[in-house]
Amino acid sequence: YNFKNHGIITYSSNKSRIPFPIVFILKALSIIVWNKPKLVYSFTHLGNISAGLARKIISFKFVANLSGLGRLYSPDSKDKFSKFILTFFIQFTLRSASTIFVQNNDDQEWLIKLIPSKVDKIILLPGSGTDLQRFRYCEPNLISSEDPKNILMMSRLLPEKGVDWFLNAAKELRNLNLNFTLIGGKDDKHTDLHDLVNKYND
């Protein structure tokens, strides 16, 4: 798609030997500072941190979207050091945001505790996530075997996207009348996960 025809300038972060988060943050930071925008709307941890750091250097309206905390904050995560570093940067950078959008109640409560001064600026977006009233949990033995159901996941094949959880669910429920379909692009850094996907597919 040719964005230039619509007056839109795009940038990309190419792969390098330097860890991607560092490359992304430095590049995004320099682009924001160089262009001096009136408003920056960011999302994901890297985007929010980049914009928050830029906001420390120049002035602009900063609107952030905390689109999920990610697997690092899941109960089974053992990487406490990375979680500590990420939490520090979230707290440090989002303090300068004029508005922070979140997509679930848990993230909203977590962020209010982390940055209580922003309690009135942390806004829960409606309609994001799964409606648990419509899609209620039921015990596997109550799933009808006569009515086949299709379960589809579209995601990059990354551990933090929960691909291994999806595979495990397919394994646990393999005796039921369910069809599990996984659609996603491979990532060169996670060949072990690709091998696992191929194993399950076979």
Side-chain angles (χ1 to χ4, degrees), residues 11-16 20 23-25 27-28 31:
Y11 301 89
S12 63
S13 293
N14 298 323
K15 294 181 179 179
S16 70
F20 176 76
V23 173
F24 182 95
I25 290 172
K27 188 165 186 176
I31 290 170

Side-chain angles (χ1 to χ4, degrees), residues 69-176:
L69 290 178
R71 189 161 181 160
L72 199 60
Y73 289 88
S74 65
D76 62 344
S77 175
K78 297 179 182 178
D79 192 351
K80 294 182 179 180
F81 178 74
S82 296
K83 180 180 177 181
F84 172 80
I85 295 297
L86 180 56
T87 301
F88 167 79
F89 274 103
I90 291 173
Q91 184 181 45
F92 178 70
T93 55
L94 291 190
R95 280 177 178 163
S96 57
S98 58
T99 304
I100 307 170
F101 292 118
V102 294
Q103 300 191 14
N104 60 68
N105 289 309
D106 291 340
D107 289 359
Q108 185 179 37
E109 293 174 6
W110 179 85
L111 200 55
I112 288 173
K113 290 179 182 178
L114 187 67
I115 318 175
S117 62
K118 291 289 181 181
V119 62
D120 296 329
K121 304 297 182 180
I122 300 172
I123 300 172
L124 178 64
L125 291 175
S128 180
T130 302
D131 184 350
L132 296 180
Q133 295 302 312
R134 181 182 177 191
F135 299 97
R136 296 186 180 185
Y137 172 81
C138 71
E139 294 294 336
N141 62 317
L142 297 179
I143 298 176
S144 172
S145 59
E146 297 178 358
D147 181 22
K149 292 179 175 61
N150 298 307
I151 302 174
L152 171 67
M153 179 176 185
M154 293 187 292
S155 166
R156 284 176 294 158
L157 301 186
L158 301 173
E160 54 264 34
K161 299 297 182 183
V163 172
D164 53 341
W165 292 344
F166 181 81
L167 294 173
N168 188 59
K171 180 181 179 181
E172 293 294 321
L173 303 174
R174 63 187 181 278
N175 294 327
L176 300 176

Side-chain angles (χ1 to χ4, degrees), residues 13 19-26 28-29 32 42-53 65 67 86 90 93:
S13 293
F20 176 76
I22 297 175
V23 173
F24 182 95
I25 290 172
L26 290 177
L29 177 62
I32 294 170
S42 63
F43 59 96
T44 75
H45 291 316
L46 289 181
N48 292 336
I49 290 171
S50 302
L53 291 174
N65 187 330
S67 51
L86 180 56
I90 291 173
T93 55

